[in-house]
């Protein structure tokens, strides 16, 4: 099997390859003068391949499609999309709206597709491939446990993240709870608490992704005003767009914990073992 690293997942793919005692195949990624994306695999592909490429931008999606196309002589193609862009657009709210996650998934033709904590699991049904979603919550739970906190509590900032909170809390052996979120726009939310006693506790807010940071920033402010000692935030996908990092630090975050499904300075947890184990057991 060959491992092919897309431009958005160079570090993660290298880590997966290392777990499998392999070296990723080298590729050339470039742009034409008009901005179009250029991709070339620098080896003949005649073996099974695993392509690893997150798709945070439209250009990253095009690179992934080009890599799949360039592997057309491979006996089997496995595509790993650690972070899938557009996955939050999984429903049509008004007539005439595209279900963007479905539109994107339908462009991916492969033998199998693997995602990591995809925002909405029903999107998996739209890939032209067998599809699997891996769960990084245990890696986050183990990281939280390694912090050796005195009186920690895991909190989901909304109901959608309760499963993640429950799973990570079980790994640490502590309690979890959740807040009530109302979204007003792409980057404005209000957060209400229930009757959670956070006084003097180290709170770890956990969500599948942090995008503008609005959800986490409002949650941090609320919990600190209620007497939380330190507020950590943890996510699988550190999208961290716009002023996300600044908003979180301005809100008083203690530490941002994230995985390398997106390769950011905050990506201290690697999902490589999760992906490598899955590939080993195929
Ligand atoms: C939404 O349901 C997701 O789980 C996240 O809560 C959301 O995407 C975070 O976005 P933002 O950081 O922009 O508030």
């Amino acid at each position: 099997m060959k491992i092919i690293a897309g431009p958005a997942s160079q570090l993660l793919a290298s880590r997966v390859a290392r777990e499998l005692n392999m070296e990723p195949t080298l590729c050339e990624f470039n742009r034409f003068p008009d901005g179009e994306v250029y991709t070339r695999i620098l080896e003949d592909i005649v073996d099974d391949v695993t392509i690893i490429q997150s798709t945070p931008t439209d250009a990253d999606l095009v690179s992934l499609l080009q890599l799949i196309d360039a592997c057309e002589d491979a006996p089997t193609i496995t595509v790993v999309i650690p972070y899938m862009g557009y996955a939050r657009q999984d429903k049509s709210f008004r007539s005439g709206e595209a279900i963007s996650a479905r539109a994107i998934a339908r462009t991916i033709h492969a033998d199998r597709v693997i995602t990591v904590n995809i925002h909405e699991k029903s999107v998996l049904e739209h890939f032209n491939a067998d599809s699997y979603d891996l769960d990084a919550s245990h890696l986050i739970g183990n990281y939280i446990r390694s912090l050796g906190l005195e009186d920690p509590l895991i909190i989901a900032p909304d109901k959608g993240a309760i499963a993640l909170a429950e799973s990570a809390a079980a790994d640490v052996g502590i309690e979890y709870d959740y807040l009530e979120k109302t979204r007003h726009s792409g980057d404005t939310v209000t957060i209400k608490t229930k009757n959670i006693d956070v006084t003097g506790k180290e709170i770890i807010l956990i969500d599948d992704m942090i995008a503008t940071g609005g959800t986490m920033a409002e949650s941090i402010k609320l919990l600190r005003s209620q007497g939380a000692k330190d507020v950590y935030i943890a996510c699988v996908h550190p999208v961290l767009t716009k002023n996300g990092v600044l908003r979180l630090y301005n809100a008083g975050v203690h530490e941002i914990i994230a995985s390398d499904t997106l390769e950011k300075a905050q990506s201290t947890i690697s999902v490589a073992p999760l992906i490598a184990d899955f590939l080993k057991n195929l």
Side-chain angles (χ1 to χ4, degrees), residues 20-21 36 53 61 90 114 116 137 162 169 174-175 185 189 204-205 215 236 248-249 251 265 273:
L20 298 171
N21 291 319
E36 287 181 353
Q53 164 74 338
L61 174 66
D90 62 304
I114 300 164
V116 179
S137 63
I162 289 177
I174 58 174
E175 298 292 313
S185 71
V189 298
I204 304 98
L205 284 160
T215 300
V236 180
L248 297 167
Y249 275 86

Side-chain angles (χ1 to χ4, degrees), residues 155-158 179 189-193 198 201 203-206 210 212-234 240 244-257:
I155 296 184
D158 59 29
L179 304 174
V189 298
T190 46
I191 302 280
K192 279 198 281 186
T193 184
V198 297
K201 290 185 191 290
I203 304 297
I204 304 98
L205 284 160
I206 188 167
I210 305 172
T212 65
T215 300
M216 288 300 199
E218 291 309 308
S219 305
I220 294 164
K221 285 187 228 164
L222 178 72
L223 294 164
R224 292 187 76 222
S225 73
Q226 292 179 334
K229 184 177 163 209
D230 291 321
V231 183
Y232 296 69
I233 59 175
L240 293 171
V245 173
L246 299 187
R247 288 176 88 175
L248 297 167
Y249 275 86
N250 287 352
V253 72
H254 186 78
E255 181 181 338
I256 303 172
I257 301 161

Side-chain angles (χ1 to χ4, degrees), residues 40-58:
R40 178 174 169 233
I41 301 174
L42 302 176
E43 260 181 47
D44 290 338
I45 296 296
V46 288
D47 299 319
D48 295 334
V49 292
T50 295
I51 301 168
I52 304 180
Q53 164 74 338
S54 284
T55 56
T57 68
D58 296 353

Side-chain angles (χ1 to χ4, degrees), residues 88 119 158 181 183 186 189 207-215:
R88 288 185 291 177
H119 181 71
D158 59 29
K181 172 168 96 176
R183 183 169 284 287
V189 298
D207 207 346
D208 62 336
M209 71 176 79
I210 305 172
T212 65
T215 300

